[in-house]
Amino acid sequence: MLKIYQLNKLIANILFLACLLVNVSLPAQNKKHKTSPPNVVFILVDDMGWKDVGYQGSDYYLTPNVDKLATSGVRFTNAYAANPVCSPTRASIMTGRDPADKHVNITNWIGAEKYENRIDDKVIQPHVADHLPLDEFTMGEAFQKNGYSTYFVGKWHLGETAEYWPEHQGFDVNVAGWSKGNPGSYFAPYHNPRLDDGPDGEYLPFRLAREVLGFIDTHEKENPEKPFLMYLSMYNVHTPIEAPKNLVQRFEERRIKMGLPEKGTYETDKGVKNRTNQSDPTYAAMVWAMDSVVGMMENKLHSLGIADNTAIVFFSDNGGLSAPGYGVTTNRPLRGGKGWVTEGGIREPLIISYPPLTDNSKNKVVDEPVISYDFYPTLLDLAGLPLEPEQHTSGKSLLPLLKGKHIKKRNLYWHYPHYSPQGGTPASAIRIGKWKLIHFYEDNSFELYNLENDISESKNIASTFPEKVQEMSKDLNDYLVSIGASYPVPKIKG
């Protein structure tokens, strides 16, 4: 009998070869009428950077399934997370609100108290809620109310205690969703109260994939006429950086073959070093495992004949980890990474695929800026369900963009009044068209960039356009006041 680690190695080898040598979906036999409510699969990757996928320019990482999804769906080049760290962006997706809104008040990752109000901090950070309020009518509850079966699999990180976990926020089933922001270990035993331990050495991404595929199989056998919302919130590619040894070895061989440096290379920004290259084999293996799960999901939908009636969203909650101590990837040409309101911390890969719309879309690539709190109204709209305008107050439906049309131009805002473990400092930002203004609270300084010709935010032109700075600063402050956002305050000297 094969030992568990040998079995895992065999499975991983088979999956690796399958994704490298064949990228073929099973023939779709759509057994549901296109007029029936569509299924929705929301795939949220943790800490995946804008350039961590092949279609965005990564040469080292292998993401054939995500790249294929980008080709068949609509991809967005200016898609943003509402915050540069995880819990706030997750709250924005669930509520359709800016997470800085007083009704949510989750502007930092839940459990970040150890990084608050340290002796060397120049400002005092505001308090952050330790859970998503139960009186927020979540996206899960909206779909549940309209007859959908709702499944949550993976990372939650929106409640410190069990009464705020997914099963109390609109999901019929919760697997692996609890208070912690990382899995502790990517190999069983997981020590997760919402995930039964598998055999020792089982790799978490493949385990969660098995759970998802099992739910979809059972659902289609028992409730084939009932639509479902599957929210797959992967723990990959969050720390700890762990992957099966055989996969790591394959990407180490790939690194050597490509002539990539063994160690990271760095550049300094505001006193913080950020990685400038992609060459970490363990991280590459984690990215590949994430991609293989996407492929398994797509193949399952095709094999059951429901792919044509299923909408898929692929997104990340914040930028990639690029700072030393954590830095395993780079977001270049974007500046910075997780924990920063620079582009590398908030701009994300986004794909939306729904064959009845996106197969024939006039715009397969959308450049209009969109943000994570748009998903709530978008998916309701796409499914033909009633909108919840009193809930998703910040979000706008992106359905017109999927139809090749446009949406009304608007300003986008970010509020991160905290210090991040990745070196980010308290700041807010606003984007108006091509212009982006960042306000740093420690010294009340401003940085202005023209993203149209400076995507890297390399040239601060605030001194050249003082009137633009004043105009955008006022807009930013007025907006934050209007939503009741909490501000950092200067420390009293002496």
Side-chain angles (χ1 to χ4, degrees), residues 334-352:
L334 305 185
R335 175 187 175 197
K338 178 178 180 178
W340 295 57
V341 295
T342 52
E343 293 291 286
I346 54 178
R347 195 186 291 211
E348 313 301 331
L350 168 61
I351 305 165
I352 300 179

Side-chain angles (χ1 to χ4, degrees), residues 17-29:
L17 290 173
C19 283
L20 286 181
L21 301 177
V22 266
N23 190 21
V24 181
S25 294
L26 296 175
Q29 297 176 350

Side-chain angles (χ1 to χ4, degrees), residues 117-124 419 489-494:
N117 306 323
R118 297 163 298 181
I119 191 168
D120 293 331
D121 292 348
K122 296 180 180 179
V123 298
I124 299 174
Y419 293 92
V489 295
K491 283 187 174 181
I492 300 175
K493 297 181 180 180

Side-chain angles (χ1 to χ4, degrees), residues 203-215:
Y203 193 43
L204 181 61
F206 301 147
R207 166 60 183 280
L208 295 184
R210 192 172 80 237
E211 297 282 351
V212 167
L213 302 185
F215 285 135

Side-chain angles (χ1 to χ4, degrees), residues 10-68:
L10 177 62
I11 292 172
N13 277 328
I14 292 171
L15 289 170
F16 188 88
L17 290 173
C19 283
L20 286 181
L21 301 177
V22 266
N23 190 21
V24 181
S25 294
L26 296 175
Q29 297 176 350
N30 194 36
K31 68 183 181 183
K32 289 188 178 182
H33 298 297
K34 288 188 177 180
T35 55
S36 63
N39 305 307
V40 176
V41 173
F42 196 104
I43 303 172
L44 184 65
V45 187
D46 195 4
D47 284 2
M48 183 184 67
W50 184 75
K51 200 180 177 181
D52 281 353
V53 287
Y55 82 88
Q56 288 287 95
S58 178
D59 295 323
Y60 179 49
Y61 308 147
L62 294 174
T63 57
N65 296 295
V66 172
D67 297 346
K68 180 181 177 183

